[in-house]
Amino acid sequence: GSLYSFNLEDSKIDWFLNLNQSLDLGLGNLFYSKPLIIFKDKLIISSLTHLYILNSLNGSTVTKISLNSSTKPIISSNYLFTITADNLLICLNINDGKIIYSINLDDKIAKFTNTKKESISVKSLFLVNSDLYLFLKNSYLTKISTNGEVIEINKMPTDLRTNPIFINGSILYIN
């Protein structure tokens, strides 16, 4: 849970931040996070318990939000998109940390398909041509606009076992 900014020119630490709030070093208190994201002068860290937006120049906290992301956050313009463990699609402004919207994906998908609400299981989240692509564990692809509206839902021909590659209007993946 310790984050260091190390200056390569003079080999000194610019700043240090301890994100683990406990002094207990047991296995239950290990710090887990998604891969770090750098966007302009911001550093985004999505841990099991919080989403941090830090100033990458000095380590100061721009915002700290209590949420458990199930996917690596995605950035488009000055907006961050992530999906929580309880299937909320969250959009927030990176500059001030304010939540723009929070949408229950279970409700949204059930309404779009005109079916009974069921809990979905999101495998991965991507930004493709300004839309959010949610790959579900049941081999469905859900396309959602960045304003949170479901555009379409399609069954993939096979199970997705790798991260997809998007090229020339096609999705390439290995099953």
Side-chain angles (χ1 to χ4, degrees):
S2 298
L3 182 63
Y4 294 85
S5 174
F6 185 77
N7 187 314
L8 292 175
E9 292 179 13
D10 63 10
S11 298
K12 294 185 179 179
I13 295 173
D14 291 328
W15 52 266
F16 162 83
L17 188 61
N18 182 8
L19 299 173
N20 194 352
Q21 301 301 316
S22 174
L23 296 176
D24 180 8
L25 299 179
L27 290 176
N29 273 332
L30 291 178
F31 184 84
Y32 295 98
S33 77
K34 305 289 184 233
L36 303 178
I37 300 171
I38 296 176
F39 179 75
K40 297 181 181 175
D41 64 341
K42 305 288 189 294
L43 180 62
I44 293 102
I45 302 169
S46 178
S47 75
L48 285 179
T49 58
H50 292 90
L51 177 76
Y52 301 87
I53 300 176
L54 308 173
N55 180 309
S56 64
L57 303 176
N58 59 26
S60 65
T61 301
V62 175
T63 193
K64 176 182 172 184
I65 300 170
S66 179
L67 63 86
N68 180 354
S69 292
S70 64
T71 61
K72 178 182 174 185
I74 299 291
I75 296 172
S76 177
S77 298
N78 288 319
Y79 300 101
L80 180 143
F81 300 90
T82 192
I83 299 172
T84 66
D86 52 351
N87 291 331
L88 296 177
L89 172 62
I90 307 284
C91 173
L92 61 92
N93 185 308
I94 291 176
N95 295 319
D96 60 16
K98 292 185 178 170
I99 294 177
I100 307 301
Y101 64 76
S102 173
I103 296 170
N104 185 307
L105 289 171
D106 298 334
D107 291 338
K108 201 69 143 165
I109 290 172
K111 184 176 179 183
F112 184 84
T113 58
N114 200 25
T115 59
K116 186 179 106 176
K117 176 182 167 181
E118 293 183 25
S119 181
I120 63 167
S121 185
V122 178
K123 188 173 206 167
S124 54
L125 171 67
F126 294 92
L127 182 69
V128 181
N129 299 328
S130 300
D131 290 320
L132 300 171
Y133 279 50
L134 280 69
F135 289 90
L136 307 182
K137 290 185 180 173
N138 64 357
S139 299
Y140 277 87
L141 167 61
T142 303
K143 186 175 171 182
I144 298 178
S145 68
T146 52
N147 66 2
E149 293 301 319
V150 175
I151 299 168
E152 63 182 310
I153 299 174
N154 295 306
K155 177 80 170 159
M156 302 289 291
T158 61
D159 190 26
L160 183 79
R161 297 192 189 248
T162 61
N163 281 332
I165 298 170
F166 303 92
I167 186 167
N168 297 330
S170 296
I171 301 172
L172 305 175
Y173 63 94
I174 298 173
N175 71 345

PDB file of all heavy atoms in Angstrom, residues 136-151:
ATOM      1  N   LEU A 136     -19.329  -9.692 -20.643  1.00  0.00           N
ATOM      2  CA  LEU A 136     -19.883 -10.402 -19.497  1.00  0.00           C
ATOM      3  C   LEU A 136     -19.361 -11.836 -19.473  1.00  0.00           C
ATOM      4  O   LEU A 136     -19.011 -12.405 -20.504  1.00  0.00           O
ATOM      5  CB  LEU A 136     -21.408 -10.389 -19.550  1.00  0.00           C
ATOM      6  CG  LEU A 136     -22.069  -9.006 -19.697  1.00  0.00           C
ATOM      7  CD1 LEU A 136     -23.585  -9.150 -19.686  1.00  0.00           C
ATOM      8  CD2 LEU A 136     -21.605  -8.056 -18.611  1.00  0.00           C
ATOM      9  N   LYS A 137     -19.326 -12.426 -18.296  1.00  0.00           N
ATOM     10  CA  LYS A 137     -18.814 -13.791 -18.147  1.00  0.00           C
ATOM     11  C   LYS A 137     -19.681 -14.828 -18.834  1.00  0.00           C
ATOM     12  O   LYS A 137     -19.222 -15.923 -19.117  1.00  0.00           O
ATOM     13  CB  LYS A 137     -18.607 -14.121 -16.673  1.00  0.00           C
ATOM     14  CG  LYS A 137     -17.444 -13.356 -16.084  1.00  0.00           C
ATOM     15  CD  LYS A 137     -17.140 -13.755 -14.668  1.00  0.00           C
ATOM     16  CE  LYS A 137     -15.967 -12.934 -14.160  1.00  0.00           C
ATOM     17  NZ  LYS A 137     -15.721 -13.144 -12.748  1.00  0.00           N
ATOM     18  N   ASN A 138     -20.926 -14.501 -19.148  1.00  0.00           N
ATOM     19  CA  ASN A 138     -21.802 -15.441 -19.861  1.00  0.00           C
ATOM     20  C   ASN A 138     -21.702 -15.268 -21.379  1.00  0.00           C
ATOM     21  O   ASN A 138     -22.595 -15.669 -22.111  1.00  0.00           O
ATOM     22  CB  ASN A 138     -23.249 -15.298 -19.395  1.00  0.00           C
ATOM     23  CG  ASN A 138     -23.838 -13.935 -19.723  1.00  0.00           C
ATOM     24  OD1 ASN A 138     -23.172 -13.059 -20.254  1.00  0.00           O
ATOM     25  ND2 ASN A 138     -25.109 -13.761 -19.389  1.00  0.00           N
ATOM     26  N   SER A 139     -20.620 -14.646 -21.850  1.00  0.00           N
ATOM     27  CA  SER A 139     -20.307 -14.470 -23.276  1.00  0.00           C
ATOM     28  C   SER A 139     -21.184 -13.442 -23.986  1.00  0.00           C
ATOM     29  O   SER A 139     -21.307 -13.465 -25.204  1.00  0.00           O
ATOM     30  CB  SER A 139     -20.355 -15.807 -24.028  1.00  0.00           C
ATOM     31  OG  SER A 139     -19.409 -16.690 -23.503  1.00  0.00           O
ATOM     32  N   TYR A 140     -21.787 -12.535 -23.255  1.00  0.00           N
ATOM     33  CA  TYR A 140     -22.526 -11.444 -23.876  1.00  0.00           C
ATOM     34  C   TYR A 140     -21.650 -10.189 -23.911  1.00  0.00           C
ATOM     35  O   TYR A 140     -20.852  -9.949 -23.012  1.00  0.00           O
ATOM     36  CB  TYR A 140     -23.826 -11.143 -23.125  1.00  0.00           C
ATOM     37  CG  TYR A 140     -24.955 -12.058 -23.521  1.00  0.00           C
ATOM     38  CD1 TYR A 140     -25.137 -13.277 -22.890  1.00  0.00           C
ATOM     39  CD2 TYR A 140     -25.832 -11.704 -24.542  1.00  0.00           C
ATOM     40  CE1 TYR A 140     -26.163 -14.129 -23.259  1.00  0.00           C
ATOM     41  CE2 TYR A 140     -26.865 -12.543 -24.921  1.00  0.00           C
ATOM     42  CZ  TYR A 140     -27.022 -13.751 -24.274  1.00  0.00           C
ATOM     43  OH  TYR A 140     -28.040 -14.591 -24.657  1.00  0.00           O
ATOM     44  N   LEU A 141     -21.837  -9.405 -24.966  1.00  0.00           N
ATOM     45  CA  LEU A 141     -21.197  -8.106 -25.100  1.00  0.00           C
ATOM     46  C   LEU A 141     -22.284  -7.049 -25.000  1.00  0.00           C
ATOM     47  O   LEU A 141     -23.245  -7.058 -25.771  1.00  0.00           O
ATOM     48  CB  LEU A 141     -20.477  -7.998 -26.450  1.00  0.00           C
ATOM     49  CG  LEU A 141     -20.012  -6.606 -26.868  1.00  0.00           C
ATOM     50  CD1 LEU A 141     -19.017  -6.036 -25.872  1.00  0.00           C
ATOM     51  CD2 LEU A 141     -19.405  -6.645 -28.263  1.00  0.00           C
ATOM     52  N   THR A 142     -22.138  -6.155 -24.035  1.00  0.00           N
ATOM     53  CA  THR A 142     -23.090  -5.068 -23.844  1.00  0.00           C
ATOM     54  C   THR A 142     -22.408  -3.759 -24.213  1.00  0.00           C
ATOM     55  O   THR A 142     -21.375  -3.416 -23.653  1.00  0.00           O
ATOM     56  CB  THR A 142     -23.582  -5.020 -22.382  1.00  0.00           C
ATOM     57  OG1 THR A 142     -24.150  -6.273 -22.043  1.00  0.00           O
ATOM     58  CG2 THR A 142     -24.610  -3.928 -22.185  1.00  0.00           C
ATOM     59  N   LYS A 143     -23.000  -3.061 -25.157  1.00  0.00           N
ATOM     60  CA  LYS A 143     -22.468  -1.780 -25.618  1.00  0.00           C
ATOM     61  C   LYS A 143     -23.290  -0.673 -24.963  1.00  0.00           C
ATOM     62  O   LYS A 143     -24.522  -0.661 -25.082  1.00  0.00           O
ATOM     63  CB  LYS A 143     -22.563  -1.720 -27.139  1.00  0.00           C
ATOM     64  CG  LYS A 143     -21.928  -0.526 -27.769  1.00  0.00           C
ATOM     65  CD  LYS A 143     -22.009  -0.679 -29.299  1.00  0.00           C
ATOM     66  CE  LYS A 143     -21.603   0.557 -30.020  1.00  0.00           C
ATOM     67  NZ  LYS A 143     -21.741   0.402 -31.477  1.00  0.00           N
ATOM     68  N   ILE A 144     -22.594   0.239 -24.259  1.00  0.00           N
ATOM     69  CA  ILE A 144     -23.255   1.312 -23.519  1.00  0.00           C
ATOM     70  C   ILE A 144     -22.627   2.647 -23.915  1.00  0.00           C
ATOM     71  O   ILE A 144     -21.400   2.761 -24.012  1.00  0.00           O
ATOM     72  CB  ILE A 144     -23.109   1.090 -21.990  1.00  0.00           C
ATOM     73  CG1 ILE A 144     -23.789  -0.224 -21.587  1.00  0.00           C
ATOM     74  CG2 ILE A 144     -23.663   2.252 -21.198  1.00  0.00           C
ATOM     75  CD1 ILE A 144     -23.663  -0.574 -20.128  1.00  0.00           C
ATOM     76  N   SER A 145     -23.462   3.647 -24.136  1.00  0.00           N
ATOM     77  CA  SER A 145     -22.941   4.984 -24.450  1.00  0.00           C
ATOM     78  C   SER A 145     -22.300   5.569 -23.192  1.00  0.00           C
ATOM     79  O   SER A 145     -22.595   5.147 -22.078  1.00  0.00           O
ATOM     80  CB  SER A 145     -24.066   5.893 -24.947  1.00  0.00           C
ATOM     81  OG  SER A 145     -24.974   6.162 -23.896  1.00  0.00           O
ATOM     82  N   THR A 146     -21.441   6.560 -23.386  1.00  0.00           N
ATOM     83  CA  THR A 146     -20.780   7.168 -22.227  1.00  0.00           C
ATOM     84  C   THR A 146     -21.749   7.982 -21.365  1.00  0.00           C
ATOM     85  O   THR A 146     -21.395   8.375 -20.266  1.00  0.00           O
ATOM     86  CB  THR A 146     -19.596   8.057 -22.665  1.00  0.00           C
ATOM     87  OG1 THR A 146     -20.042   8.986 -23.649  1.00  0.00           O
ATOM     88  CG2 THR A 146     -18.457   7.217 -23.213  1.00  0.00           C
ATOM     89  N   ASN A 147     -22.984   8.182 -21.835  1.00  0.00           N
ATOM     90  CA  ASN A 147     -23.981   8.832 -20.970  1.00  0.00           C
ATOM     91  C   ASN A 147     -24.817   7.799 -20.215  1.00  0.00           C
ATOM     92  O   ASN A 147     -25.784   8.133 -19.548  1.00  0.00           O
ATOM     93  CB  ASN A 147     -24.863   9.805 -21.754  1.00  0.00           C
ATOM     94  CG  ASN A 147     -25.747   9.128 -22.778  1.00  0.00           C
ATOM     95  OD1 ASN A 147     -25.746   7.908 -22.909  1.00  0.00           O
ATOM     96  ND2 ASN A 147     -26.509   9.923 -23.499  1.00  0.00           N
ATOM     97  N   GLY A 148     -24.437   6.503 -20.343  1.00  0.00           N
ATOM     98  CA  GLY A 148     -25.044   5.457 -19.520  1.00  0.00           C
ATOM     99  C   GLY A 148     -26.219   4.726 -20.126  1.00  0.00           C
ATOM    100  O   GLY A 148     -26.885   3.963 -19.440  1.00  0.00           O
ATOM    101  N   GLU A 149     -26.486   4.921 -21.411  1.00  0.00           N
ATOM    102  CA  GLU A 149     -27.613   4.247 -22.047  1.00  0.00           C
ATOM    103  C   GLU A 149     -27.148   2.986 -22.783  1.00  0.00           C
ATOM    104  O   GLU A 149     -26.148   3.024 -23.511  1.00  0.00           O
ATOM    105  CB  GLU A 149     -28.310   5.181 -23.042  1.00  0.00           C
ATOM    106  CG  GLU A 149     -28.993   6.365 -22.376  1.00  0.00           C
ATOM    107  CD  GLU A 149     -30.053   5.955 -21.359  1.00  0.00           C
ATOM    108  OE1 GLU A 149     -30.814   5.000 -21.636  1.00  0.00           O
ATOM    109  OE2 GLU A 149     -30.116   6.594 -20.308  1.00  0.00           O
ATOM    110  N   VAL A 150     -27.880   1.884 -22.589  1.00  0.00           N
ATOM    111  CA  VAL A 150     -27.564   0.651 -23.299  1.00  0.00           C
ATOM    112  C   VAL A 150     -27.888   0.857 -24.773  1.00  0.00           C
ATOM    113  O   VAL A 150     -28.992   1.270 -25.126  1.00  0.00           O
ATOM    114  CB  VAL A 150     -28.352  -0.550 -22.730  1.00  0.00           C
ATOM    115  CG1 VAL A 150     -28.093  -1.810 -23.560  1.00  0.00           C
ATOM    116  CG2 VAL A 150     -27.993  -0.794 -21.267  1.00  0.00           C
ATOM    117  N   ILE A 151     -26.922   0.554 -25.635  1.00  0.00           N
ATOM    118  CA  ILE A 151     -27.096   0.690 -27.085  1.00  0.00           C
ATOM    119  C   ILE A 151     -27.505  -0.646 -27.690  1.00  0.00           C
ATOM    120  O   ILE A 151     -28.435  -0.732 -28.469  1.00  0.00           O
ATOM    121  CB  ILE A 151     -25.803   1.206 -27.744  1.00  0.00           C
ATOM    122  CG1 ILE A 151     -25.450   2.585 -27.193  1.00  0.00           C
ATOM    123  CG2 ILE A 151     -25.936   1.232 -29.261  1.00  0.00           C
ATOM    124  CD1 ILE A 151     -24.069   3.072 -27.557  1.00  0.00           C
TER     125      ILE A 151
END
